Amino acid sequence: LLQLTKKLIEIRSVLLSVDQSDALKLPSIVVIGSQSSGKSSVLEAIVGHEFLPKGDNMVTRRPIELTLVHKSSNAASSSSTPEEYGVFPSMPHLGKITSFATIQRTLTELNLAVPPEQAVSDDPIQLQISSPNVPDLTLIDLPGYIQLSSMDQPEQLKTKISALCEKYIREPNIILAVCAADVDLANSPALRASRRVDPLGTRTIGVVTKMDLVKPEIGAQIISGDRYPLHLGYVGVVCKAPPTSGVLKSIMGEKENLTQAAVKREEEFFGENAKYFGGKGRLGGEKRLLVGTHTLRRRLMDVLESSMSASLHGITNAVQLELEEAAYQFKVQYNDRRITSESYVAETVDALKARFKDYTSQFSKPAVRSKLKAMLDDRLMDILEQLYWTDSRTPELTKLADDRRISPEDLDSYWKYKLETASSLLTKSGIGRDSTALVADGLRGLIDSIATGEPFTFHPGAAERIVEFSHAILRERMGLTADQVENCIKPYKYEIEMDDREWASGRERAEKKFEEEISRCDLKLSEIRKRVGGSRRLNGLVGHVADLEKWEEARLKRRLAMPMTTEDDTPILDAYKYSPAQIVDGRHALLLSNRLALLKLRQTALKSRRCRLGPDQAAFCPEAFLAVVADKLAYTSTMFINIELLEQFFYQFPREIDSRILYDLNREQIAKFARENPKIRHHLDLQERKDKLEQVLRSLQSLVNLQNDQQPRGRRE
Ligand code: GDP
């Protein structure tokens, strides 16, 4: 036995998964017929189970591609119930469904999922039924033709269904035209459609249902095919269960037995009327008519087998051509480089880790220290502004520093106290929390930039997971790190020791900071100068604002002294000389030039001989002192942030990637992940197509060889 049909059906499903183009199609049997012609009943009789959607509301809305796979029931289990099941290949999660009621429900749901405004869809539902009781066949059930259009089945739907059928009854498919015996064949839309594409009926089988509804001689006349000849002929069937079915159903609770009952009834019917149909043992000289579901099955198997066999060479050539094209594309586009979803995932993870590692240099100790130093230096300038630059006695301090006769011990305790306040403002400014947050924010930004870059733009799910777990690591470490840092800088809140070297570098840093601050103020001032229209105008404006402020101050004093007086409030100054915006600029410029004067004064102090002497002159040079404090704080913080946060994070992150991305995905998820990337998807698709075509071609060639071997022997016999 060649088992040609079986093997070609397998090949057909592989080809369908590769390509939907007509060139690669192996023949299938397409079932067409008008609504209620008995299409479903015939299909169910062939399968031996009730499994198709039923109902008034046009339940077949999508083609059902039914693949029947004959399984020889092995000897051991032949006495027990044979294993019959259905599989929906596009929904692998449903597995093998052994209940035909479940199959029916699933099909109904899939059909009803087609939106009403669309009515029919040409997206087929694939269903494979394996059983020892079915032949190897592929059948396609299509929505029934609508005879009369009505309110709920408009003309448009009629045309839509016709077009869908038209698409399927093309070569090389075999057409199963279902007509009811009690309706004139002349009115059969199925026969009409098939005649258009197959005028001689070389690939059309007529099935005449409801033979029990007409007189046997009429039925016999119909299936003899005299009036509407078909080369492949007609088969008459009776597929309806006995009328007691409703009762039986409720008693037995099993639908399966109903089809058995139907088969029995059909046998009885044709047995009783054997003389009209040329039943067993009676040949009567006339040609024997084809009747019964059993005969129909055989007929379908024979026709499909010979059609498959005839297609063998053609399809082999077509596959060969497709394969050559696919192999060429694979060579050209990918230089024959094979990939797997697994290798892609592994490479992606490796690249991610490598990228992460590159970035970690941004978090080396010196890098972190300089970031923290910058943060603390800013804070230091704020404190200086708050305590010294706004203090009108500060110029006095500068003068004192110039006086060599005054030693630090002679200095007014006002200045000593001020220095202590400044230092404690700095050490107690929440450095643990802020420095940890600064570094953690940096890490977060790093992870976010990795997660939003290629290839993670294609993998939003994975990107989200990376962000999520890295943030979780940070959250877990942050509180601890902040406490640890705060704890370690605690001694500086009480006492700060520094040597000459530290002092010198602190003084230099402070000097640099002052230079920056001075040039920042200069820049702002020159911006205002430009806006106002040159230095002469600016001088005038500043003078005006200074007068204005003096006048305002004087008035305020007068008011405070004598609140009840009602003296004239108009300023003595020319109020119309400058616009309000210019007045604002003038006030800023006044502030800036005062600030600049002070900063320059302090800059000179910082450069003075006194400040170069060493840390015991701290009260004269608070700027240098605070710079050293900031440096110490930055150094200590970095050390502990490094141990508690960075090292932990750098250790955990790559491991989390492994456990949450690499090892956490099952095969299916890995395939899904890889396919999220369009480049990879295309690569995999082409590769898979080539592989499948190769596999199919091998099978086809071995079938061709078998056929060649078989034929001469057949002729000899
Ligand atoms: P479909 O719409 O073409 O799928 O038709 P169905 O298979 O649902 O059948 C339509 C109606 O005809 C149902 O009520 C069936 O019970 C009935 N029917 C189908 N085959 C036969 C038959 O051979 N004899 C009789 N008397 N009724 C049948």
Side-chain angles (χ1 to χ4, degrees), residues 478-536:
M478 265 178 70
L480 215 107
T481 309
D483 288 350
Q484 190 65 266
V485 171
E486 201 61 52
N487 221 10
C488 294
I489 60 160
K490 199 170 175 182
Y492 297 129
K493 294 177 186 170
Y494 299 95
E495 186 184 13
I496 296 159
E497 286 172 21
M498 54 187 79
D499 58 29
D500 286 347
R501 201 183 44 78
E502 287 170 331
W503 174 264
S505 84
R507 196 194 57 80
E508 270 165 35
R509 269 218 342 281
E511 232 181 85
K512 214 175 273 155
K513 270 299 219 192
F514 266 73
E515 268 163 34
E516 283 167 21
E517 187 67 22
I518 286 169
S519 54
R520 202 173 16 249
C521 292
D522 270 337
L523 189 73
K524 276 192 194 154
L525 200 56
S526 76
E527 276 166 12
I528 296 176
R529 193 177 300 122
K530 225 181 271 164
R531 241 194 334 266
V532 173
S535 21
R536 253 173 47 81

Side-chain angles (χ1 to χ4, degrees), residues 34-41 210 212-213 237-240:
S34 49
Q35 286 182 342
S36 298
S37 56
K39 246 160 22 76
S40 317
S41 306
K210 310 190 187 178
D212 56 328
L213 294 185
V237 293
V238 176
C239 294
K240 198 178 146 123

Side-chain angles (χ1 to χ4, degrees), residues 223-428:
I223 62 173
S224 71
D226 291 340
R227 274 186 70 196
Y228 305 100
L230 286 176
H231 186 74
L232 294 181
Y234 289 86
V235 183
V237 293
V238 176
C239 294
K240 198 178 146 123
T244 47
S245 63
V247 183
L248 260 181
K249 214 185 264 181
S250 60
I251 296 171
M252 303 163 88
E254 269 294 324
K255 288 177 172 179
E256 328 301 72
N257 296 296
L258 292 178
T259 40
Q260 276 167 21
V263 170
K264 216 167 142 213
R265 197 174 115 95
E266 184 185 47
E267 269 171 15
E268 278 168 17
F269 176 81
F270 287 116
E272 282 161 15
N273 299 298
K275 60 177 177 175
Y276 300 102
F277 302 108
K280 282 175 206 144
R282 187 192 174 279
L283 290 165
E286 291 172 50
K287 76 168 172 182
R288 215 163 119 180
L289 298 175
L290 299 173
V291 291
T293 313
H294 183 72
T295 312
L296 177 61
R297 276 185 181 207
R298 264 274 31 113
R299 188 94 189 102
L300 292 179
M301 286 163 73
D302 290 347
V303 171
L304 189 63
E305 167 116 2
S306 60
S307 168
M308 287 272 193
S309 160
S311 313
L312 191 55
H313 270 97
I315 198 85
T316 309
N317 288 339
V319 169
Q320 176 101 48
L321 281 177
E322 286 295 321
L323 174 59
E324 276 165 19
E325 176 62 21
Y328 172 74
Q329 289 299 339
F330 193 60
K331 170 90 194 149
V332 172
Q333 295 182 33
Y334 301 110
N335 198 21
D336 284 337
R337 192 171 65 89
R338 299 190 66 84
I339 56 164
T340 61
S341 302
E342 284 80 4
S343 68
Y344 172 69
V345 173
E347 274 168 30
T348 308
V349 165
D350 281 349
L352 171 62
K353 284 188 203 163
R355 198 142 169 240
F356 177 70
K357 208 160 173 203
D358 283 349
Y359 275 126
T360 52
S361 61
Q362 294 177 9
F363 292 89
S364 67
K365 261 200 253 176
V368 171
R369 198 180 305 138
S370 89
K371 280 255 180 276
L372 292 186
K373 233 185 231 180
M375 176 185 99
L376 288 168
D377 280 351
D378 281 347
R379 201 161 284 185
L380 170 160
M381 294 300 270
D382 289 346
I383 293 169
L384 286 176
E385 172 171 23
Q386 185 188 336
L387 290 184
Y388 288 92
W389 304 345
T390 46
D391 185 342
S392 54
R393 284 183 65 184
T394 299
E396 186 186 315
L397 177 69
T398 316
K399 248 185 236 125
L400 288 172
D402 264 348
D403 194 336
R404 293 204 189 165
R405 290 163 303 179
I406 299 176
S407 72
E409 291 77 41
D410 303 333
L411 199 59
D412 189 348
S413 62
Y414 177 81
W415 298 112
K416 288 178 196 158
Y417 180 67
K418 211 167 188 85
L419 185 67
E420 263 167 40
T421 312
S423 168
S424 108
L425 272 179
L426 189 56
T427 53
K428 291 178 186 161

